[in-house]
Amino acid sequence: MTTDAQQQAARDWDHWHEERTATVSAPYGPLSLTGTHWLSDYPEGRIPAMEGQWREDGDELELTAGPEDGLTVDGKPFTGQVRLGADRGPIGGSRVAHGERRLFVLSREGLWAVRDFDPDSAARRAFRAIQATRYDPRWALPGTFRPYDTSRTVRVENADGVERGLGLGGEIAFELDGVERTLQVAVEHDGSLWAVFADATSGNSSYRFRFLRPAAPAADGTVTVDLNRALLPPCAFADHFICPFPPPGNTLPVAVEAGERNRIDS
């Protein structure tokens, strides 16, 4: 990489880091999540500290609320009953709200939950910055994507202690310190890749695991593995996310002193 290209890559990283900080600290960013409430834990439909009555009903939820609950649905004051599917859009666009809070309906592996996003959360008020190591060209590595013949699902523990399926579509191979390393990756709908990985800094000078999201590989499988853009997972910002832990084989035996490292609070 030429000096000019390195300088541009460093400027691009600075912009990326600024955008990440803005996204994380936004009113309905991950810092605003104050609870993920699984309805299977509340068969009577009453979730403590949440308004209304929420019941599973086949492939939908049924929400019942009175005027005292102060809920809105689709931006209008709501009383009575309404059937809800899983929210698909941004958090701020969830159908159910209580004042500035957004009550986001989630479905995962046949189980239903309601997430409570509050812009006035303690975590959002305490947040100051994302600790990150500035761009270093040695961490931007040429790699090769090797797709699996068929997609695989492995069971991995999640941040909430529950084991769930993680879909994998292949692996990326790259050379680090003269040794070939590999990471298993999921393939997103747009062709981009997603890896959950740990390394020798995890749980020490970095969060216990991180995400990496390389762009879609070229037709010949070449892909840039830019560890400068290692991401903190959502559960680094709020305990109520259910991030998957790295699958077997995705713990690198080297110190990846690059990318996002930790959250900084006041």
Side-chain angles (χ1 to χ4, degrees):
M1 184 182 290
T2 67
T3 300
D4 287 347
Q6 289 180 10
Q7 291 175 344
Q8 183 59 54
R11 287 192 292 270
D12 291 344
W13 185 93
D14 289 342
H15 180 66
W16 169 81
H17 180 58
E18 290 172 1
E19 286 194 331
R20 273 283 295 167
T21 302
T23 298
V24 164
S25 59
Y28 298 109
L31 288 161
S32 68
L33 181 63
T34 61
T36 296
H37 306 286
W38 296 96
L39 297 196
S40 58
D41 294 335
Y42 306 99
E44 77 290 348
R46 291 291 181 181
I47 301 172
M50 183 172 287
E51 300 76 14
Q53 186 175 35
W54 304 78
R55 293 186 181 277
E56 299 184 36
D57 190 6
D59 57 357
E60 290 183 305
L61 295 189
E62 183 179 84
L63 169 62
T64 303
E68 70 281 3
D69 291 309
L71 295 176
T72 62
V73 174
D74 299 328
K76 298 177 181 179
F78 172 73
T79 60
Q81 290 184 336
V82 64
R83 295 177 67 83
L84 302 167
D87 285 307
R88 302 296 183 189
I91 303 305
S94 65
R95 295 189 63 191
V96 184
H98 184 274
E100 294 300 310
R101 290 165 49 217
R102 297 294 181 265
L103 308 183
F104 190 88
V105 176
L106 170 74
S107 178
R108 188 70 56 88
E109 293 194 332
L111 297 176
W112 290 90
V114 182
R115 281 181 164 165
D116 192 344
F117 288 86
D118 184 355
D120 193 39
S121 71
R124 184 166 181 258
R125 284 186 275 110
F127 175 75
R128 290 294 172 265
I130 299 173
Q131 178 193 7
T133 301
R134 294 203 65 196
Y135 182 83
D136 184 335
R138 79 184 186 93
W139 294 110
L141 307 167
T144 302
F145 172 60
R146 302 168 179 166
Y148 296 145
D149 292 337
T150 58
S151 60
R152 306 173 185 177
T153 298
V154 296
R155 304 293 293 182
V156 297
E157 186 178 356
N158 282 225
D160 62 349
V162 177
E163 194 175 88
R164 297 183 178 88
L166 177 65
L168 299 170
E171 66 180 25
I172 47 176
F174 52 96
E175 189 174 289
L176 187 57
D177 295 335
V179 178
E180 182 179 273
R181 308 294 184 185
T182 61
L183 291 174
Q184 299 177 86
V185 295
V187 181
E188 305 283 38
H189 295 301
D190 62 357
S192 63
L193 308 176
W194 172 45
V196 185
F197 78 98
D199 65 277
T201 72
S202 299
N204 297 304
S205 60
S206 293
Y207 189 71
R208 53 185 173 168
F209 62 95
R210 290 181 281 174
F211 290 174
L212 188 67
R213 294 188 176 277
D220 63 356
T222 56
V223 62
T224 297
V225 181
D226 190 354
L227 294 167
N228 291 288
R229 300 202 181 197
L231 299 162
L232 292 177
C235 55
F237 301 102
D239 293 335
H240 309 287
F241 284 102
I242 52 174
C243 306
F245 289 176
N250 271 28
T251 297
L252 299 172
V254 294
V256 179
E257 297 175 332
E260 295 182 351
R261 310 294 291 277
N262 279 302
R263 184 182 91 193
I264 300 176
D265 291 340
S266 58

